């Protein structure tokens, strides 16, 4: 023990020990400041959004949105207000907006890849789901999560491989997506009788798997 004490009093080893302690402290800080994931953020936002919808319905539930004409019905429901959709809006004059932001605004505020100038798909996805601009760390985390989820079940790969070469790629894609229902977390939860208020959880998981 005396020799160990003497050893750790040596200046060189003391510096190493100090560096190791500093590294450990830095690692703990990095872990404690890990960026919030998309699902965790969504879990926080959903109760707020539910309360907002409840208030809107209570105050405006009986309000009339507009008139419907026969021409509209023959036109494939064109022009009929039939769905609340906050993700995007297409204006004939100014073009498309994503969560209220124009494309130039998205290009300005959404994180891009290192050395890139255009927003990453993960950035836009985060914006569409939450209505918020993600940090670079959150985008990197989402990219890593999609990479982790990207593996296809072997039976789906076999299904694609068995398709004739003349079958259109989109038909093969549709077959593969339909076959992935076998691993659907929502389907399993639904069969188990999950509460409707929790549908979003496994729907989110299936959506992330399909995107990956």
């Amino acid at each position: 023990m005396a020799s160990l004490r003497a050893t750790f009093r040596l200046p060189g080893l003391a510096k190493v020990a100090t560096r190791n302690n500093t590294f450990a402290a830095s690692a703990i800080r990095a872990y404690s400041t890990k960026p919030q994931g998309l699902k965790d953020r969504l879990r926080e936002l959903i109760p707020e959004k539910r309360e907002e919808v409840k208030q809107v319905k209570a105050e405006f539930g009986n309000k009339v949105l507009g008139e419907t004409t026969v021409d509209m019905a023959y036109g494939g429901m064109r022009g009929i207000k039939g769905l609340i959709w906050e993700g995007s809006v297409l204006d004939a004059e100014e073009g498309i907006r994503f969560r209220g932001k124009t494309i130039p605004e998205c290009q300005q505020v959404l994180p891009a890849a290192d050395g890139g100038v255009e927003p990453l798909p993960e950035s836009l996805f985060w914006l569409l789901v939450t209505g918020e601009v993600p940090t670079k760390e959150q985008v990197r985390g989402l990219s890593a999560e999609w990479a982790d989820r990207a593996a296809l079940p072997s039976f789906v790969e076999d299904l694609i491989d068995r398709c004739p070469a003349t079958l259109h790629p989109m038909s093969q894609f549709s077959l593969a997506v339909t076959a992935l229902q076998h691993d659907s977390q929502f389907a399993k939860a639904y069969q188990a009788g999950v509460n409707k208020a929790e549908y979003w959880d496994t729907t989110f998981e299936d959506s992330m798997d399909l995107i990956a």
Side-chain angles (χ1 to χ4, degrees):
M1 291 298 293
S3 62
L4 285 175
R5 292 194 196 96
T7 300
F8 279 103
R9 281 199 296 270
L10 292 174
L13 289 176
K15 291 180 181 178
V16 172
T18 301
R19 284 199 298 270
N20 287 343
N21 289 337
T22 302
F23 175 78
S26 299
I28 292 172
R29 285 196 299 271
Y31 181 79
S32 63
T33 57
K34 181 180 178 181
Q36 187 179 38
L38 179 58
K39 188 173 185 179
D40 289 335
R41 183 60 185 137
L42 195 57
R43 183 178 285 109
E44 294 176 348
L45 291 173
I46 284 175
E48 299 175 11
K49 180 58 65 175
R50 285 175 174 163
E51 186 59 32
E52 177 185 312
V53 171
K54 187 185 299 183
Q55 292 176 3
V56 170
K57 290 174 69 176
E59 187 172 353
F60 303 104
N62 294 324
K63 298 294 183 181
V64 177
L65 291 176
E67 295 182 353
T68 303
T69 66
V70 173
D71 282 341
M72 287 178 174
Y74 272 111
M77 310 293 286
R78 181 176 299 169
I80 296 176
K81 296 179 178 66
L83 176 69
I84 299 294
W85 173 250
E86 301 175 358
S88 61
V89 62
L90 183 59
D91 185 87
E93 298 298 327
E94 65 174 14
I96 194 168
R97 283 180 176 266
F98 300 102
R99 289 286 191 167
K101 299 185 185 301
T102 64
I103 290 178
E105 289 171 342
C106 288
Q107 291 172 317
Q108 184 177 6
V109 301
L110 292 178
D114 293 338
V117 294
E118 295 296 338
L120 286 166
E122 292 88 336
S123 300
L124 187 58
F125 184 76
W126 190 293
L127 175 68
L128 287 171
V129 172
T130 66
E132 300 171 347
V133 174
T135 65
K136 287 185 177 181
E137 291 74 19
Q138 287 171 326
V139 170
R140 290 193 188 102
L142 183 55
S143 296
E145 183 171 1
W146 281 350
D148 288 341
R149 292 171 178 257
L152 282 175
S154 57
F155 79 92
V156 177
E157 292 185 349
D158 291 341
L159 177 65
I160 297 173
D161 289 340
R162 290 176 179 273
C163 290
T166 53
L167 184 62
H168 195 280
M170 289 308 296
S171 297
Q172 297 185 45
F173 177 73
S174 298
L175 282 170
V177 170
T178 303
L180 285 171
Q181 192 273 346
H182 177 271
D183 293 337
S184 167
Q185 295 192 42
F186 175 81
K188 293 182 176 70
Y190 185 82
Q191 290 298 322
V194 65
N195 188 286
K196 188 175 182 179
E198 299 301 319
Y199 279 2
W200 77 269
D201 188 299
T202 47
T203 299
F204 175 88
E205 295 295 331
D206 282 359
S207 299
M208 293 286 281
D209 287 341
L210 285 170
I211 292 170

